[in-house]
Amino acid sequence: EPEVTQTPSHQVTQMGQEVILRCVPISNHLYFYWYRQILGQKVEFLVSFYNNEISEKSEIFDDQFSVERPDGSNFTLKIRSTKLEDSAMYFCASGGRAGGSYGEQFFGPGTRLTVL
Amino acid sequence: SQQGEEDPQALSIQEGENATMNCSYKTSINNLQWYRQNSGRGLVHLILIRSNEREKHSGRLRVTLDTSKKSSSLLITASRAADTASYFCATDGMGYNKLIFGAGTRLAVHP
């Protein structure tokens, strides 16, 4: 069964460094998302992406964050200058396959980002 | 906010028992989804129920939705130790908007 994949599974970085988190959504899906979950807290929406542009973003998604779909398969989240509070599990999700149930979002396994 | 909130926060049962988790939300929705998360792992999609549906089944899972009370319940029948995980409800509005997650219910199923 198709699934969302994410790399790396764990990323450790120094404060102020740039990180790029990578995702391969399910083929034929049209909508892509990033969420994050700080340890012990709720899953929070960051950004949604459709038709090669951001469709919605949260207040968390400030100028330090950017997303890109550089080719037909990858979807990336870049954090330009990481802060300690960016430490979290980052989830990619996709949805909207042709003929699929309206609104379902399927999540990847996550990338655990640790900022030191 | 369309925030979903689950209760109880934690549930501990024996294998073979049924587990019921509840979710409440605040605004109108198009659908409500339930997810499972094993400790430190990814979110597994369990079931989606639309606002015009009242009940849905998938294997040992039964989900109900009461839009008049803005609440949903997830029932796991004949629980197994492998069902031990956190369970989250997530609501959205129109189309493919963001999902709003609740804080989750931590379920522990003891052999």
Side-chain angles (χ1 to χ4, degrees):
Chain A
E1 186 172 330
E3 56 186 22
V4 178
T5 59
Q6 290 185 243
T7 55
S9 57
H10 192 186
Q11 174 94 43
V12 180
T13 189
Q14 295 291 324
M15 189 169 56
Q17 295 296 303
E18 173 183 287
V19 295
I20 297 176
L21 309 183
R22 292 183 167 79
C23 168
V24 178
I26 293 173
S27 178
N28 295 328
H29 277 189
L30 303 174
Y31 298 83
F32 313 109
Y33 309 84
W34 284 101
Y35 293 80
R36 78 173 187 188
Q37 184 181 32
I38 295 172
L39 187 64
Q41 298 187 23
K42 296 180 183 182
V43 176
E44 302 174 287
F45 167 79
L46 292 178
V47 65
S48 58
F49 193 86
Y50 170 69
N51 201 25
N52 287 318
E53 61 182 23
I54 291 173
S55 51
E56 189 173 359
K57 60 183 180 180
S58 72
E59 61 276 9
I60 302 169
F61 195 87
D62 60 22
D63 292 345
Q64 293 299 312
F65 291 86
S66 63
V67 290
E68 193 176 39
R69 188 159 162 80
D71 52 43
S73 59
N74 292 285
F75 180 50
T76 62
L77 173 69
K78 180 192 291 187
I79 309 174
R80 289 189 184 82
S81 179
T82 51
K83 302 186 285 286
L84 294 176
E85 54 265 36
D86 293 328
S87 294
M89 181 77 93
Y90 288 80
F91 294 106
C92 173
S94 69
R97 69 185 186 276
S101 295
Y102 189 69
E104 284 177 333
Q105 293 185 25
F106 296 90
F107 284 71
T111 292
R112 181 168 298 285
L113 176 65
T114 302
V115 182
L116 303 177
Chain B
S1 160
Q2 297 171 249
Q3 193 171 33
E5 295 293 344
E6 292 92 340
D7 79 87
Q9 290 185 327
L11 182 60
S12 182
I13 59 175
Q14 297 295 315
E15 259 189 328
E17 294 180 340
N18 295 341
T20 300
M21 289 159 272
N22 303 296
C23 167
S24 61
Y25 56 92
K26 296 181 180 178
T27 64
S28 297
I29 60 171
N30 265 3
N31 59 62
L32 184 146
Q33 304 182 54
W34 284 90
Y35 289 85
R36 183 185 75 228
Q37 183 181 37
N38 290 78
S39 181
R41 309 290 290 275
L43 293 159
V44 176
H45 186 270
L46 296 176
I47 199 164
L48 177 151
I49 186 166
R50 304 191 198 296
S51 59
N52 62 354
E53 297 176 312
R54 291 297 167 258
E55 188 171 311
K56 203 164 183 179
H57 296 257
S58 177
R60 293 184 296 112
L61 305 181
R62 173 178 170 254
V63 170
T64 62
L65 179 65
D66 187 336
T67 53
S68 67
K69 295 180 180 178
K70 292 187 169 56
S71 67
S72 173
S73 67
L74 170 67
L75 168 68
I76 304 174
T77 60
S79 63
R80 305 166 182 168
D83 295 328
T84 295
S86 290
Y87 292 82
F88 298 89
C89 69
T91 55
D92 71 352
M94 300 294 293
Y96 294 95
N97 277 0
K98 62 188 177 187
L99 292 179
I100 305 295
F101 283 82
T105 293
R106 294 187 310 279
L107 174 66
V109 182
H110 302 285

